[in-house]
Amino acid sequence: MAFNLACDEKKQFDERQMINGERTLKNVLTPKYYWLFLLTGRLKHGVKFLVDLRTDVLNLLSELKDPDETIVVQQLNITLHDLLLQWFSVGFFDLERVTWQSSCEMLEKVSNYEMIHPIKNWTDLKRRVGPYRRCYVFTHRAMPREPLVVLHTALCGSIPSSVKEVFQTEAQTDGMYGKAESSAPEDTSKIKAAVFYSIASTQRGLQGIELGNYLIKNVAAKVLEEFPLIDQLSSLSPIPNYRIWLLERIKNDVGQTFTKEERQLIGSLLCSTDIHTALKKVLSNSLWINNKDIVEALRVPLLRSCASYLYNEKRRNYALNNVANFHLRNGAVMWRINWLADPSPRGAANSCGIMVNYRYYLHETEANSRNYIERNIIRASEDVIRLAAESETLLQKSRL
C-alpha cells in the first residue's frame, strides 16, 4: 500500500513538472510583442490598428527577399494571425443588412469595396440595395461601422446565367421588378432564386480567417426565412486567371485545347497558323466578343477547357482556382458554366467572359464540404463533368 502511495505521489509530481515545463517553454517561445498586441487589442480602435498592422506585414512579406528577414517577419505575421483568429470567431460578428436608409458612411464603404461589378454612381448603388436586392455585411463589435465582408444577393425568378440577367432584371421575369426608386412591395410569389453575385472581403489583415463562408450561410438562412418559396440558391462567380492558364496551355501544346478541325477553323478566322500568338493578341481585349464568327468558333473549346481548369486542375489536391476552392469548401456544387456571361473588359481579361454558377443545396452542403476538405471530392453537375472529361480525353490524345 505504501508502495502504491509512493507511486501515486511520484506520478503527480511528474505531471506537475511536465505542466510547469510546458508553461516555461511556452513563455520562452512566445515573443514579447505578443503581450503588447494583447494589450493594444483592449484599447479603443486597437483591434482595427492590429488588423491594419497585419496588412502592412503581409505587404512586407511579399517584398522581402532575405530568408533571415522573412523568418522574423513571418513569425510576426503568425502571432498577429493567431490573435485575430481568436477575436474574429463567428460569435463576435453582427449580421447587418445595408439599405438606402443605412448611414452614408456604410453605403460609401459598400460602394468602394465592390470590385467584381464596380458601382457606377449613387443611382446604381441605390439599385444594389433596393427592391429585389439584399446586401448584407458582417461587422465586428471592436470595429463598428466597418464592414468586414460584403455579400450582394439578387432575388430572381430563376438562376441567371449572365451578369446582364442580374442587372437587367426588368426583362428577366416580365417586369416583376420596378425602378430602383419604386416603393411598390416585392412580389414574393415570383421570387424563386437567391443569387450571390458578389462577395468581397474588405480587410486584407484578416486573410486566412474564414469569414465569407459564414456570411453566405447566414444570408441564405435570412432570405429563406423572408422568402419561403425560394428553392434555388446559387452564386454567379467570376473565374480569375482562367485566360492566363488557357494561353499557357495553348502555348505548351495547342492540341490539348483544340481538335484538328477547331484549329483549322480558328486559324482561318485569325489568318494565322500560329494559334497561340494569334489568340494571345485577340484575347488581350474584349473586342473579339463583337465578332460572331470568332465567338462561335471559340465557344465549345473554351467551355471545355474551362471545365477542365475548374474541375481537373489542382493545387495540393484542392481546386486550383481560388473562387472555386472557396465555394467548394462551403459545400457548393459546381453546377453550370456560362459562355460570355460577363463580356465586360474585366470579365474578358479574367476568363474570356465565362462565369460559373455554384449551386447551394443546403441539405447537402455539410457532406459536400466534408468530402471536399477531407477526401478532395468535387461535387459537380453532369454537364460540367462531361465537359471536363472531353477536355481530358483531348489532353490524353495530344500526348500520344
Side-chain angles (χ1 to χ4, degrees), residues 5 8 15 27 29 40 49 51 94 116 118 131 134 153 186 189 199 222 244 263 290 300 319 323 326 348 369 392-393:
L5 287 173
D8 289 341
E15 288 177 351
N27 289 336
L29 294 177
T40 301
F49 171 83
V51 171
D94 291 316
I116 297 176
R134 293 297 181 270
T153 305
E186 295 160 330
S189 67
I199 185 168
K222 280 282 187 185
I244 296 172
R263 293 198 300 271
N290 299 318
V300 171
V323 176
F326 169 80
S369 176
E392 193 65 21
T393 300

Side-chain angles (χ1 to χ4, degrees), residues 117 124 127-128 133 162-170 172 197:
H117 306 293
D124 190 15
R127 188 175 294 112
R128 304 276 184 108
R133 292 287 184 272
S162 70
V163 173
K164 182 179 179 180
E165 289 181 32
V166 171
F167 291 110
Q168 294 184 352
T169 46
E170 290 85 355
Q172 184 177 338
Y197 65 90

Side-chain angles (χ1 to χ4, degrees), residues 152-321:
H152 290 275
T153 305
L155 305 175
C156 310
S158 60
I159 297 175
S161 60
S162 70
V163 173
K164 182 179 179 180
E165 289 181 32
V166 171
F167 291 110
Q168 294 184 352
T169 46
E170 290 85 355
Q172 184 177 338
T173 42
D174 296 325
M176 74 182 229
Y177 304 93
K179 300 295 182 182
E181 295 80 12
S182 173
S183 59
E186 295 160 330
D187 187 346
T188 58
S189 67
K190 293 183 178 179
I191 297 175
K192 303 295 179 63
V195 181
F196 315 121
Y197 65 90
S198 178
I199 185 168
S201 295
T202 67
Q203 310 293 319
R204 189 175 182 229
L206 297 178
Q207 180 178 302
I209 299 174
E210 295 286 357
L211 299 177
N213 56 346
Y214 295 121
L215 182 57
I216 284 180
K217 290 171 184 176
N218 276 265
V219 170
K222 280 282 187 185
V223 296
L224 287 174
E225 181 182 348
E226 188 178 1
F227 302 100
L229 292 181
I230 286 179
D231 58 2
Q232 303 168 73
L233 294 169
S234 174
S235 74
L236 180 62
S237 300
I239 313 171
N241 299 320
Y242 164 66
R243 184 182 66 89
I244 296 172
W245 174 87
L246 170 69
L247 290 173
E248 187 63 27
R249 184 163 179 165
I250 294 172
K251 180 181 179 181
N252 292 336
D253 184 355
V254 68
Q256 295 179 3
T257 304
F258 302 106
T259 64
K260 181 179 179 180
E261 293 77 12
E262 289 167 349
R263 293 198 300 271
Q264 291 174 346
L265 175 59
I266 293 168
S268 65
L269 288 173
L270 301 180
C271 303
S272 175
T273 56
D274 186 349
I275 301 294
H276 171 258
T277 301
L279 271 182
K280 185 176 181 180
K281 182 178 180 181
V282 167
L283 298 179
S284 63
N285 56 60
S286 60
L287 296 178
W288 64 273
I289 292 174
N290 299 318
N291 187 315
K292 293 182 179 180
D293 292 333
I294 293 178
V295 165
E296 188 56 31
L298 292 179
R299 184 176 65 84
V300 171
L302 263 59
L303 283 174
R304 189 172 58 219
S305 72
C306 187
S308 179
Y309 171 66
L310 292 171
Y311 187 76
N312 295 329
E313 291 296 307
K314 305 290 175 57
R315 177 175 57 205
R316 299 175 182 173
N317 294 322
Y318 294 115
L320 174 65
N321 182 265

Side-chain angles (χ1 to χ4, degrees), residues 249 304 308 312 387-397 399:
R249 184 163 179 165
R304 189 172 58 219
S308 179
N312 295 329
L387 286 169
E390 289 175 1
S391 181
E392 193 65 21
T393 300
L394 196 61
L395 175 63
Q396 296 302 326
K397 285 183 180 178
R399 290 174 175 173

Side-chain angles (χ1 to χ4, degrees), residues 64-73:
L64 287 177
K65 303 289 189 253
D66 188 322
D68 293 333
E69 290 182 351
T70 301
I71 291 172
V72 174
V73 179

Side-chain angles (χ1 to χ4, degrees), residues 322-335:
N322 61 337
V323 176
N325 186 54
F326 169 80
H327 286 289
L328 293 170
R329 290 180 74 89
N330 287 350
V333 175
M334 195 177 288
W335 186 61

